[in-house]
Amino acid sequence: MAALPTDSNTPLDEVACGLMRTAEDGTILRINRIFSEWVGQPPGALLQRRRFQDLLTMGGRIFHQTHWAPLLRMQGSISEVKLELARDEAPPIPIVINAIRHEKEGVAYHEIAAFVARDRDKYERELVLSRKRLEELVTEATRLQEEAKDRALFAEQMIGIVSHDLRNPLSGIAMGAALLTRGQLSEGQQRTLNRILRSADRAHALIADLLDLTQARLGGGLSVSLQSVDLHHTISEALDELSLVHQGRPLHHKTVGSGECTADRNRLVQLLGNLVSNAVAYGTPGRPVTVTSGMGSQCFIAVHNEGVAIPPEKQELIFKPMTRGAQNSAGRSVGLGLFIVREIAKAHGGEARVDSTADGGTTFTVAFPRR
């Protein structure tokens, strides 16, 4: 087997790139001055003592083993491969390498030319950073766009509520107040005063619903003030008041087990009012509404009414805002009642659900931990 040339060629030390000849296993047979300066070692410490792949960073060594050597054997050359030269006490040097495989008398060797690629490396890093920044900007723009859509929808809903549902009750208040300024209250004026009070109550309820909707949508949920309450007594008192509002509609109350629980009494009264109003609006006229309060594995309030069943596809959406149970309802609600019921249940650590069939009627149940 013929010996491979290992002599130094002086003109090669004057070129503007690194030059190296290696055996097929990577052993350095010749290296010019600039290449050895990059490595930080004199040629004498490299020739026949080090392999080319030993001068690379860990990633470069892996690439040399898995790609470099097989490609040179198969295709005979490699062009513009970017690697990094490792140095003991200095940052690695990015280089671009061209290599070609030769054979002489059956013995293979590699001729390698390397060029420092600091500018290219800097450009590639800046390109990666620019792409990352662009992706972040696109993500942020998408997020802002979704927020803008949500806020626009929310604003539209609020405009619809204020323009439609508050217009009639407030008009009733204004007209009734104008009539009362004409003199002593007659029987008719008394009836007008009663209408004023009912309209004022309705307007107050709508405004309260708006405030709760805003707090639930933008404030992360409704606030509650938890304390020990007698659930049965609370529901009984609330039903007495509701019976005055829904005169002519029987409201029955059933109790199950103990009524001791921890809850916000005012929120429970609000919840019950929404459920009973919903049952009266959508239930069969004249038929009773039954409210059950009690204790099982959890505290619960259930409101049942007879009437047309809620379609299964609507049962999934019934607790969302601006949703009504039927198209032929009285039209006096903006569809916030059940949404607020669900939010009150969530604020108590519980949940609200509905069961509705043609034979069994409709039952809304709110259950929450006894604590």
Side-chain angles (χ1 to χ4, degrees), residues 153-194:
L153 176 61
F154 186 69
E156 291 174 358
Q157 292 172 343
M158 293 303 97
I159 291 173
I161 291 169
V162 172
S163 62
H164 182 271
D165 288 88
L166 290 183
R167 179 182 55 195
N168 292 334
L170 294 179
S171 295
I173 293 174
M175 292 176 61
L179 289 175
L180 288 177
T181 63
R182 296 181 179 180
Q184 295 293 326
L185 290 178
S186 63
E187 183 178 349
Q189 289 173 333
Q190 185 62 52
R191 289 195 298 269
T192 300
L193 177 59
N194 292 336

Side-chain angles (χ1 to χ4, degrees), residues 95-365:
I95 57 174
V96 174
I97 295 179
N98 294 333
I100 189 168
R101 184 176 187 272
H102 294 290
E103 284 193 17
K104 183 177 181 180
E105 298 180 3
V107 179
Y109 63 95
H110 302 158
E111 295 286 1
I112 300 172
F115 305 85
V116 173
R118 286 193 176 93
D119 290 340
R120 172 175 170 176
D121 183 73
K122 180 180 179 181
Y123 169 76
E124 290 175 349
R125 292 179 185 275
E126 289 177 349
L127 190 63
V128 170
L129 290 176
S130 297
R131 180 176 180 179
K132 184 178 179 180
R133 285 195 295 268
L134 179 60
E135 292 174 348
E136 292 174 349
L137 289 174
V138 170
T139 300
E140 179 66 11
T142 302
R143 183 185 66 81
L144 292 175
Q145 185 179 26
E146 292 299 325
E147 287 185 359
K149 288 181 180 179
D150 289 342
R151 291 180 179 180
L153 176 61
F154 186 69
E156 291 174 358
Q157 292 172 343
M158 293 303 97
I159 291 173
I161 291 169
V162 172
S163 62
H164 182 271
D165 288 88
L166 290 183
R167 179 182 55 195
N168 292 334
L170 294 179
S171 295
I173 293 174
M175 292 176 61
L179 289 175
L180 288 177
T181 63
R182 296 181 179 180
Q184 295 293 326
L185 290 178
S186 63
E187 183 178 349
Q189 289 173 333
Q190 185 62 52
R191 289 195 298 269
T192 300
L193 177 59
N194 292 336
R195 286 197 296 270
I196 291 175
L197 295 175
R198 288 194 297 270
S199 296
D201 288 342
R202 182 168 172 243
H204 181 272
L206 286 172
I207 293 172
D209 285 350
L210 290 177
L211 293 175
D212 284 342
L213 174 63
T214 302
Q215 184 179 11
R217 288 285 294 267
L218 303 180
L222 298 183
S223 60
V224 292
S225 178
L226 301 179
Q227 57 186 344
S228 178
V229 299
D230 185 327
L231 184 62
H232 298 327
H233 182 69
T234 300
I235 298 303
S236 178
E237 284 190 340
L239 284 178
D240 288 341
E241 296 178 5
L242 290 171
S243 63
L244 299 177
V245 179
H246 304 290
Q247 294 183 12
R249 195 64 175 271
L251 302 180
H252 297 166
H253 183 204
K254 296 181 179 180
T255 61
V256 176
S258 171
E260 296 180 4
C261 65
T262 300
D264 185 323
R265 183 183 184 281
N266 292 331
R267 287 295 190 186
L268 293 185
V269 172
Q270 180 185 8
L271 176 149
L272 180 66
N274 288 351
L275 290 179
V276 170
S277 296
N278 185 78
V280 170
Y282 297 104
T284 302
R287 299 298 298 165
V289 173
T290 302
V291 179
T292 304
S293 60
M295 176 72 68
S297 59
Q298 294 182 305
C299 296
F300 70 91
I301 302 171
V303 178
H304 172 268
N305 65 268
E306 302 174 13
V308 178
I310 302 173
E313 65 273 12
K314 286 193 174 182
Q315 292 182 27
E316 299 295 326
L317 306 173
I318 198 72
F319 290 102
K320 292 187 177 182
M322 316 303 163
T323 303
R324 294 188 178 93
Q327 296 298 327
N328 59 352
S329 64
R332 296 166 62 185
S333 169
V334 294
L336 290 180
L338 294 179
F339 169 76
I340 293 173
V341 165
R342 185 189 65 176
E343 292 300 316
I344 293 175
K346 288 168 58 177
H348 283 78
E351 62 177 359
R353 64 179 184 273
V354 59
D355 298 298
S356 185
T357 63
D359 296 332
T362 300
T363 301
F364 284 89
T365 303

